[in-house]
């Protein structure tokens, strides 16, 4: 009878806890005694009967009976502790569905953030693909990027005669050398040399773009070098970035293109030498956007490439002025010489009084050599230099007006 009462006490205690949970409105599963807790240790022997001391059996029966008689009080607390422990163990062994979803969402957000950072990263100094058409930044993105070729074979003569007028770009074949064309374009308050048909600049004022200083220019042996004409894309740089593949005429056009020429301070030009945007920039930061934009325009026109450091330097500068337009020849055209500056010539000559003419005495007989010397004529200054006759002074054999464009009596100087 004592064994049966103990089992009935256990069942009644569990039933009482279930009734309390239902009464509180919480859907709690019926509590089942945890046989692993110290309060409910029941050991079985080989024959299926209970083993242990009588005190242990009496303790178990007393606890069960107390739980049953107390109703949903002590028994409920005991069962709740068992249920909480079991639930805690289950939660450690297997996450809940909500926890699994939350973990998956957290992992998904982290992966999305990593993907977003990876896809939104843009290489440093690379021109953006969304640059506005017509800007220097957009054209920069179209230039090939390669390493610098060797300088082998470079010579200034590879780009034609210095300041020759024989070019197929704007300002060519206008009867004036390229240097004076650029001086007339870039200087202010220009005074031209009389008798040169508006070509030669004697004096003027330069607002130097490279140093933001003002230079008073005066033509002369010791003063002309204060203002020099810079090739914005140095000819040596052009030779090493695709100029070797250009024809001789195309290289001559590049050297005489007004887009690639700028009147600047002589000292700044000497400092630049043949540097590109990665190795040299004007000290005047306000002009750097226009400076590199002209380099992009020249390289685009003559199909030259940029080196990776050069591309990065140009992109970094244009990144501060993304709307900088690509310069064109029309903006940098050289003015034609002012033919009105030539000496005026009368349309009609005043008739001179007639003079009484007397017969001239007979000329003395002169012996004519058997092999008369043919007159000397040079087609251009290159021919005169090749013959070793340059410079050709007025009165020298071979002197002609087409060799002395500035009319100072010295040709091919």
């Amino acid at each position: 009878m004592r064994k049966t009462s103990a089992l009935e006490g256990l069942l009644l205690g569990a039933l009482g806890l279930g009734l309390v949970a239902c009464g509180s409105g919480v859907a709690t599963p019926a509590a089942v005694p945890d046989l692993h807790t110290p309060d409910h240790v029941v050991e079985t022997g080989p024959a299926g009967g209970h083993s242990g001391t009588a005190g242990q059996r009496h303790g178990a029966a007393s606890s069960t009976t107390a739980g049953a008689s107390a109703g949903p009080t002590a028994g409920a607390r005991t069962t709740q502790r068992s249920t909480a422990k079991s639930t805690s163990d289950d939660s450690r062994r297997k996450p809940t569905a909500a926890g699994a979803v939350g973990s998956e969402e957290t992992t998904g957000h982290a992966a999305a953030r990593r993907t977003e950072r990876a896809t939104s990263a843009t290489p440093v100094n690379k021109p953006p693909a969304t640059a506005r058409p017509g800007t220097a930044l957009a054209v920069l993105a179209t230039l090939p990027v390669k390493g610098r070729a060797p300088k082998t074979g470079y010579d200034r003569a590879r780009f034609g005669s210095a300041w020759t007028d024989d070019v197929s770009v704007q300002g060519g074949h206008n009867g004036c050398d390229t240097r004076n064309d650029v001086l007339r374009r870039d200087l202010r308050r220009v005074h031209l040399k009389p008798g040169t048909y508006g070509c030669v600049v004697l004096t003027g004022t330069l607002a130097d773009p490279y140093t933001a200083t003002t230079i008073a220019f005066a033509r002369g042996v010791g003063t002309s070098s204060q203002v020099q004409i810079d090739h914005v894309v140095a000819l040596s740089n052009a030779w090493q970035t695709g100029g070797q593949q250009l024809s001789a005429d195309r290289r001559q056009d590049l050297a005489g293109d007004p887009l690639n020429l700028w009147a600047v301070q002589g000292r700044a030009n000497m400092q630049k030498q043949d540097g590109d945007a990665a190795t040299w920039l004007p000290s005047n930061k306000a002009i750097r956007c226009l400076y590199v934009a002209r380099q992009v325009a020249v390289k685009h026109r003559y199909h030259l490439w940029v080196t990776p450091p050069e591309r990065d330097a140009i992109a970094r500068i244009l990144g501060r002025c993304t709307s900088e337009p690509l310069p064109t020849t029309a903006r940098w055209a050289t003015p034609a010489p002012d033919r009105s500056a030539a000496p005026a010539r009368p349309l009609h000559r005043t008739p001179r009084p007639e003079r009484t003419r007397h017969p001239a005495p007979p000329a003395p007989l002169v012996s004519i050599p058997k092999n008369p010397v043919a007159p000397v004529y040079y087609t251009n200054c290159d021919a005169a230099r090749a013959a070793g006759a340059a410079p050709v002074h007025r009165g020298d054999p071979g002197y002609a007006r087409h060799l002395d464009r500035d009319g100072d009596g010295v040709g091919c100087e």
Side-chain angles (χ1 to χ4, degrees), residues 193 391-396 399-401 403-413:
K193 183 177 181 179
V392 185
H393 296 80
R394 184 181 286 114
D396 292 347
Y399 173 85
R401 181 66 183 83
L403 302 178
D404 183 14
R405 292 184 176 176
D406 57 3
D408 61 353
V410 181
C412 301
E413 54 186 340

Side-chain angles (χ1 to χ4, degrees), residues 286-301:
I287 205 67
R288 288 182 177 179
C289 284
L290 178 58
Y291 174 75
V292 298
R294 289 183 69 175
Q295 288 186 328
V296 171
V298 171
K299 295 215 165 190
H300 175 68
R301 171 171 297 177

Side-chain angles (χ1 to χ4, degrees), residues 157-178:
R158 297 277 190 175
F159 291 82
S161 300
W163 313 129
T164 178
D165 187 40
D166 187 17
V167 290
S168 300
V169 294
Q170 193 162 4
H173 303 286
N174 64 357
C176 189
D177 63 279
T178 307

Side-chain angles (χ1 to χ4, degrees), residues 20-21 39 109 140 143 145 147 156 158 167 199 222 247 273 290 303 309 315 333 342 348 365 367 397 411:
V20 171
D39 291 339
H109 285 303
L140 174 63
L143 296 181
V145 181
R156 174 62 180 83
R158 297 277 190 175
V167 290
C199 173
S247 65
Q273 296 184 355
L290 178 58
H303 305 288
H348 303 283
L365 298 176
S367 60

Side-chain angles (χ1 to χ4, degrees), residues 17-30 80:
L17 180 61
L19 293 175
V20 171
C22 293
S24 61
V26 179
T28 304
Q80 285 176 351

Side-chain angles (χ1 to χ4, degrees), residues 55 86 93 103 125-126 177 182 269 282 296 348 352 356 381 389 400:
S86 176
R93 288 192 298 270
S103 177
N125 296 332
K126 186 175 182 181
D177 63 279
V182 177
N269 187 42
V296 171
H348 303 283
R352 297 179 180 179
T356 303
C381 286

Side-chain angles (χ1 to χ4, degrees), residues 149-210:
K151 198 176 179 179
T152 306
Y154 169 74
D155 188 83
R156 174 62 180 83
R158 297 277 190 175
F159 291 82
S161 300
W163 313 129
T164 178
D165 187 40
D166 187 17
V167 290
S168 300
V169 294
Q170 193 162 4
H173 303 286
N174 64 357
C176 189
D177 63 279
T178 307
R179 172 179 167 83
N180 279 291
D181 282 341
V182 177
L183 289 176
R184 289 196 318 275
R185 181 193 69 184
D186 294 346
L187 269 60
R188 299 294 177 265
R189 294 188 290 275
V190 172
H191 177 62
L192 302 175
K193 183 177 181 179
T196 61
Y197 298 93
C199 173
V200 178
V201 177
L202 288 180
T203 60
T205 302
L206 173 68
D208 178 42
Y210 287 177

